[in-house]
Amino acid sequence: MTVMRGVALVGSLRQASYNMRLARWMQARYQGTWDIEIADIANLPYFNQDQELNPPEPVKAFKRRIAKTDTVLLVTPEYNWSIPGVLKNALDWLSRGDKVMNGKPVLVAGATTGMVGTVRAQLHLREILASPGVAARTLPPGGNEILIPFAQDKFSEDGLTDEATIAFIDQVVQKFLQFASA
């Protein structure tokens, strides 16, 4: 079996972020099948259209990294019924100039301490991913959404511990890797 390469973008900068814990857990769990690197998007400069065709070096390096990977994993909390600004900024850079997300297989996931499991953020994110500048490929909705509500009850310091959630994520990741390799 071919090992898929992935880059994860995590929309939370919080030190004890459940979304970063989820990304790290997925990185460890699927190693050897889906090798995931976690990109640091916190230090990307704000998107500036004046620089879109000749962005600063950190943006160029970030875009090269995304261009070279097989897949992208987006792990996001929900801020004000949408995605965090840091994640939107990263996607704005990726959508301009050489548009390295076009056709790229993307899996979306999110964790929250609330009841809705980042559903509104993920719906908004799917709209962004479908936009002409991004044009990413995502698994169709309807059972493929990794929405983790009440994350405080499903994570330990070592990562995800809820067996039903783990089994569901395993199924979605398997479908995603088949989708990405097709």
Side-chain angles (χ1 to χ4, degrees), residues 3 37 43 71 75 81-82 85 89 109 124-125 160:
V3 176
E37 298 176 36
N43 295 313
T71 63
V75 186
W81 295 13
S82 189
N89 184 58
H124 191 197
L125 187 53
L160 192 58

Side-chain angles (χ1 to χ4, degrees), residues 47 51-56 59-68 90-104 132-135:
F47 174 74
Q51 299 175 323
E52 79 176 286
L53 298 179
N54 188 22
V59 173
K60 288 179 183 176
F62 172 62
K63 291 179 85 167
R64 283 192 300 267
R65 188 174 185 188
I66 298 298
K68 289 180 183 178
L91 293 171
D92 286 344
W93 277 117
L94 295 172
S95 74
R96 306 306 285 246
D98 48 3
K99 300 177 183 176
V100 298
M101 290 288 286
N102 282 189
K104 188 77 65 179
V134 181

Side-chain angles (χ1 to χ4, degrees), residues 55-131:
E57 186 51 42
V59 173
K60 288 179 183 176
F62 172 62
K63 291 179 85 167
R64 283 192 300 267
R65 188 174 185 188
I66 298 298
K68 289 180 183 178
T69 195
D70 301 318
T71 63
V72 174
L73 171 64
L74 301 178
V75 186
T76 188
E78 184 173 298
Y79 292 173
N80 300 314
W81 295 13
S82 189
I83 64 171
V86 68
L87 181 57
K88 179 66 165 74
N89 184 58
L91 293 171
D92 286 344
W93 277 117
L94 295 172
S95 74
R96 306 306 285 246
D98 48 3
K99 300 177 183 176
V100 298
M101 290 288 286
N102 282 189
K104 188 77 65 179
V106 176
L107 181 63
V108 178
T112 183
T113 57
M115 183 172 39
V116 210
T118 72
V119 70
R120 291 175 294 233
Q122 289 194 34
L123 286 170
H124 191 197
L125 187 53
R126 283 181 175 274
E127 290 178 4
I128 295 166
L129 293 171
S131 70

Side-chain angles (χ1 to χ4, degrees), residues 5-56:
R5 293 171 301 130
V7 174
L9 310 182
V10 180
S12 176
L13 303 179
R14 191 170 65 87
Q15 196 73 28
S17 165
Y18 288 111
N19 288 280
M20 182 58 82
R21 285 190 204 173
L22 176 59
R24 288 186 180 131
W25 176 85
M26 291 177 78
Q27 181 182 46
R29 180 149 182 102
Y30 303 112
Q31 185 176 16
T33 304
W34 186 23
D35 288 349
I36 303 168
E37 298 176 36
I38 300 173
D40 179 7
I41 60 174
N43 295 313
L44 289 174
Y46 293 125
F47 174 74
N48 180 338
Q49 193 172 7
D50 291 338
Q51 299 175 323
E52 79 176 286
L53 298 179
N54 188 22

